[in-house]
Amino acid sequence: MLSLGINRRQEFFTCFRKHYYNAWIGGVSVTYITLGVVICVIVGYEEVQMERLHSDRVSDILLETFFPDGKPTTVEPGEIVYDSDTSAPSLFVVDKGYFKTYTISNDGDLHIQNFYGPGAIFPLAPVLRRALNWTSFRTKQTVYFETLTEASVYRCKAETFPIAELPPEVYQELIYRLLFNYEVFLNCAQVQKFRYARHRIIYQLLLLADMFGTQTEDGIRINPPLTHFDIGSTIGMARETVTREMEKLRSGGCLISSQQHLVLTDTARLQAEIENAH
Amino acid sequence: MLSLGINRRQEFFTCFRKHYYNAWIGGVSVTYITLGVVICVIVGYEEVQMERLHSDRVSDILLETFFPDGKPTTVEPGEIVYDSDTSAPSLFVVDKGYFKTYTISNDGDLHIQNFYGPGAIFPLAPVLRRALNWTSFRTKQTVYFETLTEASVYRCKAETFPIAELPPEVYQELIYRLLFNYEVFLNCAQVQKFRYARHRIIYQLLLLADMFGTQTEDGIRINPPLTHFDIGSTIGMARETVTREMEKLRSGGCLISSQQHLVLTDTARLQAEIENAH
């Protein structure tokens, strides 16, 4: 199961990182780096590598780096916390709850691009682009970030993102996040290769289970409370089609849907079904 | 104009980086980092930041890091240098020439995903994913990398990409490359918002001019020799439609096409035309 973020680790490593980061930003205070700390670096890396993908917690490294004294803010469901057109450059780390990001077409249609859960950082690409002094070529669409549930987020002003002064773990974490977002985007595009709506829906549900799934007694529960519109929107499918295909999956015993959650009862069977579909 | 890579810089910085990198990988040889070098770090960063996007040369930092004694190999036009299914994990840096990357659908159709020119690195995402111990969720399509022209590339085995031991400039460069690839992908998807083939083609030509353009007396020349099929394939448009719309652009005075190159004679006019199109 994939989840974003790194567990809070032993006091030892936290302490090491603080010193190490100070050494970096201080520039001249390199004397911090003693032989003992160098050994920690080597041990520390391996530990980061191992734990990276096996935790549900917001990354403590990122929090320490960007939100040194930050407290999360609570946000109501349906609230837009950020839009790329009018909001001041900001960076958010999700503490609890779920978000969706979407654009609105000239015809007024809403198109969901992605979902974010605990540990996610947004909007990452524009903040990094600005830090690297690189203006994107042509994309000018306004992107909105809205809560799906009650949520709490850390927020910081991102006008001066310290791209040249980060500890190696943070660079690695940023690379991982970019790869993750890219992968989600690629998968949503790839769904179009399936001819039938049933296979597109199965593919999308498996992807959501990979991103936001928890193993339960009944199967894998997709944690964010998504509507049929939400599920269809990322893959360009009408709400009605999603409802029809989900009903078939439910009566076929592959899906349980309660008021808040979807549970995939047999992901192996669903995976096998789309394996050779086209 | 956008181009990938960083100019070879003064001997001073090259020398600094070598020492600095040694310090990093050596781990214990941190004594290299003296106060003098720290000052270089600060000056060095600014310089990297400024030059990053204004050069046509392969990044010397990346070459030094991954291809310490590497010589580029010459590749014939139409040769597949890498496919994600059967090739050993490798990393390429383009020295000269142009490449396309594509997938083949179950129906046997070829779909171009992206083009690469001098300074480009591929396949970046899978190499980084492997280094971060992260298997992508579902994408299983075979991706092919093929030359569009005679080309020369640096190649290295990428089984053990030293993700935890890189100098900060290399991390920044990797982040920049990922953002760049993501942006190209996003732009190709975005073209679908236009209703008319004419606007889609204009958008795509402007994007190619941003990626691979050189200012000439007649206008901006798109350097790789792309066929009408190549241009249409990335945006899901038939070769015949591209030919028809390109002919209209040519007779309208917006485009000159020679045997090898396309030249956009008035990008401002083309940009204005799609500005409010939908």
Side-chain angles (χ1 to χ4, degrees):
Chain A
M1 215 47 31
L2 265 167
S3 55
L4 294 167
I6 298 172
N7 260 338
R8 285 184 184 279
R9 265 154 289 171
Q10 308 94 298
E11 202 56 35
F12 176 73
F13 283 107
T14 310
C15 175
F16 148 66
R17 263 195 311 274
K18 272 188 188 142
H19 281 107
Y20 183 61
Y21 184 57
N22 286 340
W24 261 95
I25 55 168
V28 285
S29 46
V30 174
T31 45
Y32 274 86
I33 305 178
T34 64
L35 184 63
V37 173
V38 168
I39 292 163
C40 298
V41 176
I42 295 156
V43 180
Y45 281 145
E46 294 222 334
E47 202 216 10
V48 170
Q49 211 74 327
M50 299 301 291
E51 276 193 22
R52 180 180 300 278
L53 305 177
H54 303 288
S55 152
D56 288 316
R57 298 280 316 160
V58 172
S59 155
D60 55 350
I61 296 176
L62 285 156
L63 282 181
E64 277 167 32
T65 308
F66 301 114
F67 310 88
D69 305 307
K71 297 238 182 308
T73 319
T74 305
V75 198
E76 295 299 311
E79 198 171 314
I80 295 172
V81 295
Y82 180 82
D83 82 75
S84 61
D85 203 25
T86 59
S87 302
S90 301
L91 196 66
F92 297 85
V93 175
V94 182
D95 177 42
K96 288 176 199 151
Y98 293 92
F99 288 77
K100 62 181 169 188
T101 168
Y102 57 87
T103 58
I104 295 174
S105 74
N106 291 325
D107 298 332
D109 295 332
L110 187 154
H111 298 284
I112 297 177
Q113 292 186 323
N114 204 348
F115 302 103
Y116 295 100
I121 307 173
F122 62 76
L124 198 54
V127 168
L128 291 174
R129 269 202 303 267
R130 195 180 307 111
L132 290 167
N133 274 328
W134 179 50
T135 48
S136 72
F137 343 97
R138 337 223 123 252
T139 326
K140 271 190 198 165
Q141 264 189 312
T142 308
V143 182
Y144 302 89
F145 292 84
E146 184 180 314
T147 44
L148 281 168
T149 60
E150 189 179 278
S152 85
V153 286
Y154 297 87
R155 178 182 191 145
C156 79
K157 287 185 184 173
E159 273 146 351
T160 51
F161 188 89
I163 190 81
E165 299 157 348
L166 299 170
E169 299 100 315
V170 175
Y171 284 121
Q172 289 171 51
E173 188 67 24
L174 292 173
I175 287 172
Y176 165 63
R177 304 295 178 122
L178 285 176
L179 286 170
F180 189 95
N181 290 350
Y182 186 54
E183 186 75 12
V184 170
F185 198 76
L186 209 64
N187 272 280
C188 287
Q190 191 139 354
V191 90
Q192 306 302 333
K193 76 173 181 171
F194 294 111
R195 199 180 299 261
Y196 298 109
R198 177 182 174 85
H199 298 142
R200 294 184 180 194
I201 283 289
I202 291 175
Y203 186 94
Q204 177 71 350
L205 290 173
L206 288 171
L207 179 62
L208 289 166
D210 275 343
M211 290 171 68
F212 302 115
T214 303
Q215 186 71 52
T216 67
E217 275 187 17
D218 297 325
I220 293 177
R221 187 185 67 213
I222 296 171
N223 290 316
L226 302 172
T227 66
H228 292 181
F229 173 81
D230 292 336
I231 291 168
S233 181
T234 52
I235 53 174
M237 189 178 282
R239 204 269 309 151
E240 292 78 358
T241 313
V242 177
T243 302
R244 188 190 68 213
E245 295 300 330
M246 299 267 279
E247 186 46 49
K248 285 187 203 163
L249 288 173
R250 199 179 298 118
S251 60
C254 297
L255 183 71
I256 301 171
S257 65
S258 71
Q259 202 158 16
Q260 285 287 311
H261 295 300
L262 295 171
V263 178
L264 306 182
T265 53
D266 192 347
T267 50
R269 197 171 118 201
L270 293 174
Q271 181 66 48
E273 183 172 343
I274 61 161
E275 204 75 28
N276 294 305
H278 53 88
Chain B
M1 216 50 29
L2 266 166
S3 54
L4 294 168
I6 297 172
N7 261 336
R8 284 185 184 279
R9 266 154 289 171
Q10 308 94 298
E11 201 58 34
F12 176 73
F13 284 107
T14 310
C15 174
F16 148 66
R17 262 196 311 274
K18 273 189 188 143
H19 281 106
Y20 184 60
Y21 183 57
N22 287 341
W24 261 95
I25 54 167
V28 286
S29 46
V30 174
T31 44
Y32 274 87
I33 305 177
T34 63
L35 183 64
V37 173
V38 168
I39 291 163
C40 298
V41 175
I42 294 156
V43 180
Y45 282 145
E46 294 221 334
E47 203 217 9
V48 170
Q49 212 73 326
M50 300 299 291
E51 276 193 22
R52 180 180 301 278
L53 305 177
H54 304 287
S55 153
D56 288 316
R57 296 281 315 162
V58 171
S59 155
D60 56 350
I61 296 175
L62 285 155
L63 282 181
E64 278 167 31
T65 308
F66 300 116
F67 310 89
D69 304 308
K71 298 238 184 308
T73 319
T74 305
V75 198
E76 296 299 311
E79 197 172 312
I80 295 172
V81 295
Y82 180 81
D83 82 74
S84 62
D85 202 27
T86 59
S87 302
S90 301
L91 197 66
F92 298 85
V93 175
V94 182
D95 177 41
K96 288 176 201 150
Y98 293 92
F99 287 78
K100 62 182 170 188
T101 167
Y102 58 86
T103 58
I104 295 174
S105 74
N106 291 325
D107 298 332
D109 295 332
L110 187 154
H111 298 284
I112 297 177
Q113 292 186 322
N114 204 348
F115 302 104
Y116 295 100
I121 307 173
F122 63 76
L124 197 54
V127 168
L128 291 174
R129 269 201 304 266
R130 194 180 308 112
L132 289 166
N133 273 329
W134 179 49
T135 47
S136 71
F137 342 98
R138 337 224 123 249
T139 326
K140 272 191 198 164
Q141 263 188 312
T142 307
V143 183
Y144 301 88
F145 293 83
E146 184 180 313
T147 44
L148 281 168
T149 60
E150 189 179 280
S152 85
V153 287
Y154 297 86
R155 178 181 191 147
C156 79
K157 287 188 183 172
E159 273 147 350
T160 51
F161 188 89
I163 190 81
E165 298 156 350
L166 299 170
E169 299 100 314
V170 175
Y171 284 122
Q172 289 170 50
E173 188 67 23
L174 292 174
I175 287 172
Y176 165 64
R177 304 296 178 121
L178 285 176
L179 286 171
F180 189 95
N181 290 350
Y182 185 54
E183 187 74 12
V184 169
F185 198 75
L186 210 63
N187 272 279
C188 287
Q190 192 139 352
V191 89
Q192 306 301 331
K193 75 173 182 172
F194 293 110
R195 199 181 300 260
Y196 299 110
R198 176 182 176 85
H199 297 142
R200 293 185 180 193
I201 283 289
I202 292 175
Y203 187 94
Q204 176 70 351
L205 290 173
L206 288 171
L207 179 61
L208 289 167
D210 275 344
M211 289 170 68
F212 302 115
T214 302
Q215 185 72 51
T216 67
E217 274 186 19
D218 297 325
I220 293 176
R221 186 184 66 213
I222 296 171
N223 291 316
L226 303 171
T227 66
H228 292 181
F229 173 81
D230 293 337
I231 292 168
S233 182
T234 52
I235 54 174
M237 189 179 282
R239 204 269 309 151
E240 292 78 359
T241 314
V242 176
T243 303
R244 188 190 68 213
E245 294 300 329
M246 299 267 279
E247 186 46 47
K248 286 188 204 164
L249 288 172
R250 199 179 299 119
S251 60
C254 296
L255 184 70
I256 301 171
S257 66
S258 71
Q259 200 158 16
Q260 285 288 310
H261 295 300
L262 296 171
V263 178
L264 305 183
T265 53
D266 191 348
T267 50
R269 196 170 120 201
L270 293 173
Q271 181 66 47
E273 183 172 342
I274 61 161
E275 204 76 26
N276 293 304
H278 53 88

